[in-house]
Amino acid sequence: MTTTSSSFGSLSDNLWVYVSKLLRLRWVIFTSGFKRSKPLHKVLTIGLGLLVLGVFIGTYLLTGSLLRALDSPLIVQSGINPEIFIKSVPSLIISIAFLLIMMASFRLLLQALYLSNDMDFLVSAPIPIRAVFLSKLLESVLPNFILVSAFGLPVLLSMGVAGGYHFVYYPLVLLVLAVLSFAAAGISSLLVMAVVRIFPAKRVAEVLTLLGAALAFVLSQSYNLMGSKLESLSPQQISQGSQILSRFDNAWFPLAWGGRSLIDLGQERWLPGVFFLALTIGSSAFVFWLALKTAERLYYTGWASLQVSIQRKNNHQVIDRRNTNTLSSSLFQHLLPRQVGAIVAKDFKVITRDLNNLSQLVGVFIMGIVLAVMLLRTGGKPPAGNGEAPVLVMSLFRSALAYGSMVIGLFVGWGLISRLGVVAFSMEGRNYWILKTAPLKAEKQLAAKFIMTYLPALILSWIYLLGVAALQHTPFTTILYGLPSIALILAGLGGINLALGVRSVNLSWTDPRKMENGLAGLLGTIVSIVYQLITLILFFGPPLGLPLLGISEATGMLIGLLAGGTVTLLCTILPLVLVKERVYRIGEE
C-alpha cells in the first residue's frame, strides 16, 4: 500500500473528509514533534501556552478595572460619554482583530501555500486542490485566532459581565470572532495569490520579514518616540480621541456589524441584534466562499506556473558575467589583493541580496534612531534641576552628552558587526568546499571575512556619529576624536566576533535564519559588552575626567587614544591569530 492510499484511504466525494484527514495529519506531526523535541523546547512550548493564558486572565481583570473607572468624576469631567464609549468598544475590538488576522494570515499563507516543502506531494496526491487550500487556510487561521483572542476575547467577555448582558452574548462572541477570522483569512489568501503572480514568493517573504521587524520595533518604542506628548494630553484632546473611536460603531461600516449585534443581543434588543448578526455571518460566509471558489482556479494554476518558471530559470544558459561587476565589486578587487577582494565582493553580493540579513538588523537601526531622538531632545544641555550642582559637574555632564553621539554610533555598529562576524564563515554553508579546495591561506580568508564584517559597521557607525553630532552641534575636535575611537573599538569587536564565528562555524544549515550558533551568539554578546565597557572607559575616561584635575582635554584625548588603541588592536589581532589554524579544519569536524 502506498503512502497516499494508506493516509487517505479510498477516494471520497466529500470535501471535508480530505480536509479532516489533512488536519489530523498535521496534528499528528505537531504532537510527534513535541514528544521527540528536546526538554528545553517542551518547556518553552508549555511556557508559551501559560503566557497566553496569563495574558487572557490579565486582560480580563484589567478590562474590568477600566470599566469601573469610567464611572469616576474625572472621566465625566473630561467630556467622555461612558455609555457611548462602551458601546463602540466591541466594534473597535472586532475591527482590530479582523485587520490583525488578515495581516498575520498573509505571511502564514504565503509560507504554507507557496514555500512549504509538502506542496509537491499534496498537489500530486489524489486530493481535491480545494481541500489542500482549505486545510492550509485553517492551519493559518487557528494560531492567529488564538493570539488575537488572548487580547480581544477577555475584553468582550469582561464587558458582558460588567454590563449584565444576556447569556446568549457569550457564545456569540466566539461565533462572531470565528466567522470574521475566516473572512479575513480568505481575503489574505486572495492577496497572496495576486502578489505571488507578480513577485517571487521568497522575495515577498523576505520583504514581509523586514517590514514586520521594523513595525514591531517602532511599536515597542512608540512611547520613546512620542516623548512627553502623552503625558500632556488635555481633557479636550482625550474627549476628541474618544469621539474618533466611537466612529467605528457605524451602521454602514461592515466591521461594526458584529460589534453592534453583540451589544444589541446582550442588551436583549433582539430584532436589530439578529439583523446585524445575520449581516455579519452572511457577509463573512460570502467572502470565504468567494475566496474558496477563486482559489480553486488561481491556486493550482499559480502554483503550476511557479514551478514552470523555476524550471525555465534553471534551464537558462550560463551568462558571461565577467563584464557585469558592480562598482563595489570593482573597488574591492582593485584596492585589495585579488583573492581577498574576490571573497569580499562575493560576500557583499550575498549579504545585500538576502533581505533576511537586513531584517535582522532593522531593530538595531531603529534603536539607534530612538536613542538619537532621546539624546537630541535634551538639546545638548543637562537638566536644569535646582541650580545647586557644582560648575565642574555641569561641565562634565555637558561633555558626556557631547560624546553621546559616539556611543550611539558604536551601538549601531556593534549590532551589525556582531551579526556579520559570527556568521562570516557559516554563511558559506555547504559551498564552503569551494574555499576549502582553493589555494587560499588562512590569513587571506580571515582578512577577507574581517573586511566584510568591519567595513559596513564602520561606515554605518560614522554616519550615525556625524549625523547626531551635527544635529547636536558637537565641537569639531570631539568629532575628530570620535572617528578613530569608534574605528578602533569596532576593529576589536570584529576580531572577537569573527574568532567566535570560526570556533562555532555551522555549515549544515538549510534555513539562513539558523546559520548562527546560539551559544556563540550569547557568548559573543557577553564578551562584547565587557569589551565595550572597558574600551569606553579607556577612550572617553581621560578626556572627560582629566579636565577636572586641571589637565587639558586634548591631553586626555591623546592618552585615551594610546591606552584604548593598544587594547583594541590587541583584541583585533590576538583572537584571529589564535583561530588561524582552526580555519584549515573547518568542515572536517
Side-chain angles (χ1 to χ4, degrees):
M1 182 179 292
T2 63
T3 304
T4 304
S5 61
S6 62
S7 300
F8 298 97
S10 59
L11 298 181
S12 174
D13 295 331
N14 191 345
L15 174 69
W16 291 100
V17 171
Y18 298 101
V19 174
S20 62
K21 289 183 179 294
L22 288 172
L23 293 177
R24 184 174 64 84
L25 287 175
R26 177 59 61 184
W27 173 253
V28 170
I29 292 173
F30 172 76
T31 54
S32 300
F34 177 78
K35 293 177 181 178
R36 298 180 181 180
S37 62
K38 297 180 180 179
L40 179 60
H41 184 269
K42 293 180 180 178
V43 172
L44 292 177
T45 304
I46 296 174
L48 179 61
L50 294 176
L51 178 62
V52 173
L53 180 61
V55 169
F56 185 94
I57 297 174
T59 305
Y60 179 85
L61 298 176
L62 179 61
T63 302
S65 301
L66 294 176
L67 290 175
R68 289 190 294 270
L70 289 176
D71 297 330
S72 64
L74 182 62
I75 298 297
V76 176
Q77 293 175 2
S78 66
I80 297 177
N81 189 327
E83 184 178 354
I84 297 178
F85 179 75
I86 292 176
K87 184 180 178 181
S88 62
V89 168
S91 299
L92 176 63
I93 295 296
I94 290 175
S95 300
I96 294 175
F98 180 88
L99 295 176
L100 289 177
I101 290 177
M102 186 173 67
M103 291 187 295
S105 297
F106 187 95
R107 179 66 174 85
L108 292 178
L109 285 170
L110 178 69
Q111 177 68 34
L113 296 176
Y114 292 100
L115 300 177
S116 60
N117 296 326
D118 60 350
M119 285 307 305
D120 290 336
F121 167 75
L122 292 177
V123 174
S124 60
I127 311 171
I129 193 67
R130 186 188 297 181
V132 176
F133 168 78
L134 187 56
S135 64
K136 295 286 187 180
L137 190 63
L138 293 174
E139 291 174 18
S140 68
V141 169
L142 183 59
N144 293 327
F145 179 75
I146 293 175
L147 291 177
V148 171
S149 297
F151 294 93
L153 186 60
V155 175
L156 298 176
L157 295 180
S158 182
M159 286 185 57
V161 174
Y165 290 167
H166 193 274
F167 173 77
V168 74
Y169 169 86
Y170 302 100
L172 288 180
V173 168
L174 282 173
L175 176 63
V176 170
L177 287 176
V179 296
L180 287 175
S181 299
F182 281 102
I187 295 175
S188 292
S189 66
L190 295 179
L191 293 175
V192 168
M193 294 176 194
V195 171
V196 169
R197 284 178 172 266
I198 302 174
F199 305 102
K202 186 177 180 180
R203 183 61 63 183
V204 175
E206 293 173 350
V207 172
L208 289 176
T209 304
L210 180 65
L211 295 178
L215 178 62
F217 203 88
V218 168
L219 292 177
S220 66
Q221 298 296 324
S222 57
Y223 181 79
N224 292 329
L225 294 174
M226 292 292 293
S228 59
K229 293 182 179 180
L230 296 177
E231 300 175 358
S232 60
L233 290 176
S234 64
Q236 183 179 3
Q237 291 174 324
I238 296 175
S239 177
Q240 292 176 352
S242 65
Q243 293 175 6
I244 293 174
L245 294 179
S246 63
R247 293 177 184 175
F248 282 91
D249 188 32
N250 190 321
W252 298 102
F253 185 44
L255 294 180
W257 295 341
R260 293 178 70 92
S261 68
L262 293 176
I263 293 294
D264 290 337
L265 292 173
Q267 296 179 353
E268 301 184 23
R269 294 193 294 268
W270 303 112
L271 185 59
V274 171
F275 174 73
F276 283 115
L277 181 63
L279 282 179
T280 302
I281 297 176
S283 59
S284 300
F286 175 75
V287 170
F288 185 74
W289 173 83
L290 180 63
L292 197 61
K293 294 293 290 184
T294 307
E296 188 175 13
R297 296 183 178 182
L298 297 182
Y299 181 41
Y300 181 76
T301 57
W303 180 87
S305 63
L306 180 66
Q307 304 305 312
V308 171
S309 64
I310 293 176
Q311 293 177 0
R312 291 179 178 177
K313 184 177 180 179
N314 293 334
N315 291 332
H316 282 171
Q317 295 181 354
V318 178
I319 301 174
D320 187 3
R321 300 183 182 271
R322 289 176 296 181
N323 297 323
T324 61
N325 289 331
T326 62
L327 177 61
S328 57
S329 302
S330 301
L331 290 176
F332 289 140
Q333 295 177 359
H334 284 86
L335 297 179
L336 300 173
R338 177 176 299 180
Q339 295 171 327
V340 175
I343 298 176
V344 173
K346 184 267 298 179
D347 287 348
F348 180 80
K349 291 182 179 180
V350 171
I351 292 172
T352 54
R353 288 176 179 176
D354 188 359
L355 292 181
N356 281 319
N357 293 312
L358 300 180
S359 64
Q360 298 184 23
L361 302 172
V362 167
V364 178
F365 299 156
I366 299 178
M367 189 62 185
I369 297 175
V370 171
L371 293 175
V373 171
M374 295 174 63
L375 180 64
L376 293 173
R377 282 174 56 194
T378 64
K381 299 178 181 179
N386 297 324
E388 300 175 355
V391 177
L392 287 177
V393 174
M394 299 301 291
S395 177
L396 178 63
F397 201 98
R398 293 190 190 95
S399 300
L401 289 176
Y403 285 97
S405 57
M406 305 179 195
V407 178
I408 294 174
L410 177 62
F411 174 82
V412 176
W414 171 39
L416 183 58
I417 211 168
S418 61
R419 164 64 183 172
L420 297 179
V422 174
V423 301
F425 280 89
S426 297
M427 65 186 297
E428 300 291 341
R430 301 181 186 276
N431 296 323
Y432 182 72
W433 63 270
I434 299 176
L435 292 179
K436 187 77 172 178
T437 56
L440 288 172
K441 294 184 178 181
E443 293 87 346
K444 291 186 177 181
Q445 294 187 44
L446 288 172
K449 296 296 183 180
F450 177 82
I451 292 172
M452 193 60 248
T453 301
Y454 176 67
L455 280 183
L458 178 63
I459 294 172
L460 188 63
S461 295
W462 278 357
I463 291 175
Y464 267 84
L465 188 154
L466 295 174
V468 177
L471 295 174
Q472 196 183 7
H473 304 291
T474 303
F476 185 68
T477 55
T478 304
I479 298 176
L480 288 180
Y481 178 70
L483 293 176
S485 300
I486 294 297
L488 289 169
I489 295 175
L490 289 178
L493 283 173
I496 293 172
N497 285 276
L498 182 57
L500 290 173
V502 174
R503 296 287 301 180
S504 59
V505 64
N506 174 26
L507 303 178
S508 59
W509 56 269
T510 55
D511 187 346
R513 296 170 295 182
K514 299 180 180 179
M515 68 173 69
E516 179 181 338
N517 185 301
L519 181 60
L522 177 61
L523 181 60
T525 301
I526 296 174
V527 175
S528 297
I529 292 175
V530 174
Y531 163 82
Q532 288 179 93
L533 290 176
I534 295 174
T535 53
L536 284 175
I537 293 174
L538 292 175
F539 276 103
F540 301 148
L544 287 174
L546 291 182
L548 299 177
L549 303 177
I551 303 174
S552 65
E553 185 178 1
T555 304
M557 291 180 177
L558 180 60
I559 295 175
L561 282 177
L562 291 175
T566 302
V567 173
T568 53
L569 290 177
L570 183 64
C571 292
T572 304
I573 299 172
L574 184 59
L576 299 181
V577 171
L578 294 177
V579 299
K580 182 183 68 173
E581 295 300 325
R582 191 178 182 86
V583 173
Y584 293 111
R585 301 196 302 271
I586 292 178
E588 299 178 359
E589 300 175 349

